[in-house]
Amino acid sequence: MMDFTNGFIQLNCIFDKSVFSVNQMLRLDFVYNRINISLLYSKQNHTDKELVLIIRMEDKDYPIAFHINSDNGKYYLNPFFKSNYTDINRIYRFLNSSRNFIPSQLFEYINEHICDFDIMTTTHTEVINTFRNSLNHECPYYYTYRRMKMSDKMKEKIREKYSNADEIINFFDKENHCTLVFTSDISKARELVLKL
């Protein structure tokens, strides 16, 4: 886990100063090592601990969702993204003289420079229309659960996204025989709460 306290506090300050409508979200655009990136953030439907990065490379968008964990006033995230890493790393190495793409360095950059990014507000509908294909593939927001066996792919997604993944998998899969359902539509997003 990486300490993302400064970046998360700044992100919330920017959000509170910029977003005035319930169905709006914050979009921060920036360039990191010649790569265009959009950071999407909203507080609608308890999504205040979720952020999505859209990494634009070779005219393709790669969305990666992150869950932010809090502990004793500090905020942490897992700066690892397995689902699109192979493609991102291949293109990044081509663009940046064979160096590897290191997600923790990206988040250190965000932590230090978040106030320098291009800030805009957008609606959830505009985001879905702009990034429809890539977001539908990733489905970053928790929506509900369904009574059926949890797939290995879903377990992997939970492990990548949540620091308490074993607890979530145990509760839903083993104890209640359910799987999670995620959505790309932030208006349907819900907070994932375990009632143990």
Side-chain angles (χ1 to χ4, degrees):
M1 287 295 178
M2 177 183 174
D3 186 344
F4 191 59
T5 303
N6 180 58
F8 190 63
I9 290 170
Q10 293 297 324
L11 183 63
N12 274 284
C13 287
I14 294 167
F15 183 90
D16 292 341
K17 290 177 184 175
S18 305
V19 177
F20 301 106
S21 173
V22 172
N23 65 349
Q24 282 187 319
M25 66 188 313
L26 191 62
R27 177 176 166 180
L28 304 176
D29 289 341
F30 61 100
V31 176
Y32 173 73
N33 287 340
R34 302 187 325 191
I35 297 170
N36 293 315
I37 300 176
S38 294
L39 185 154
L40 306 174
Y41 180 72
S42 177
K43 293 184 180 182
Q44 181 178 345
N45 295 337
H46 305 286
T47 58
D48 61 321
K49 295 285 192 321
E50 306 284 330
L51 66 88
V52 176
L53 290 182
I54 308 282
I55 299 175
R56 235 166 274 110
M57 298 167 75
E58 290 188 336
D59 297 324
K60 186 172 179 186
D61 294 328
Y62 297 92
I64 300 106
F66 297 92
H67 181 76
I68 299 165
N69 301 291
S70 59
D71 185 32
N72 294 327
K74 294 267 197 190
Y75 298 95
Y76 302 92
L77 57 76
N78 183 356
F80 175 72
F81 35 97
K82 185 176 178 183
S83 55
N84 293 318
Y85 184 74
T86 303
D87 290 336
I88 291 170
N89 194 47
R90 178 183 53 79
I91 299 166
Y92 183 82
R93 287 180 66 152
F94 175 75
L95 292 174
N96 290 286
S97 307
S98 300
R99 290 178 13 216
N100 282 327
F101 184 85
I102 302 172
S104 61
Q105 291 176 354
L106 168 62
F107 278 102
E108 286 171 11
Y109 179 82
I110 292 171
N111 243 342
E112 293 171 17
H113 300 282
I114 195 166
C115 292
D116 302 328
F117 299 161
D118 292 335
I119 300 167
M120 63 187 87
T121 57
T122 185
T123 66
H124 301 110
T125 304
E126 288 171 346
V127 166
I128 289 169
N129 289 338
T130 302
F131 302 111
R132 179 177 308 279
N133 292 336
S134 55
L135 283 176
N136 283 340
H137 175 71
E138 179 67 21
C139 293
Y141 302 108
Y142 170 72
Y143 173 52
T144 190
Y145 61 91
R146 181 179 300 141
R147 287 223 178 264
M148 64 184 289
K149 182 168 176 40
M150 187 179 286
S151 69
D152 290 340
K153 189 173 180 180
M154 179 57 69
K155 289 176 187 175
E156 185 177 320
K157 180 173 186 162
I158 293 168
R159 284 189 182 100
E160 287 178 16
K161 190 173 174 69
Y162 298 103
S163 63
N164 61 337
D166 292 336
E167 205 176 323
I168 293 169
I169 292 168
N170 187 52
F171 179 79
F172 283 99
D173 185 43
K174 294 182 177 146
E175 293 177 16
N176 295 294
H177 310 290
C178 295
T179 190
L180 302 184
V181 178
F182 288 84
T183 181
S184 60
D185 186 348
I186 196 167
S187 66
K188 295 179 180 177
R190 292 185 171 79
E191 182 179 18
L192 177 59
V193 178
L194 293 181
K195 295 181 182 176
L196 302 174

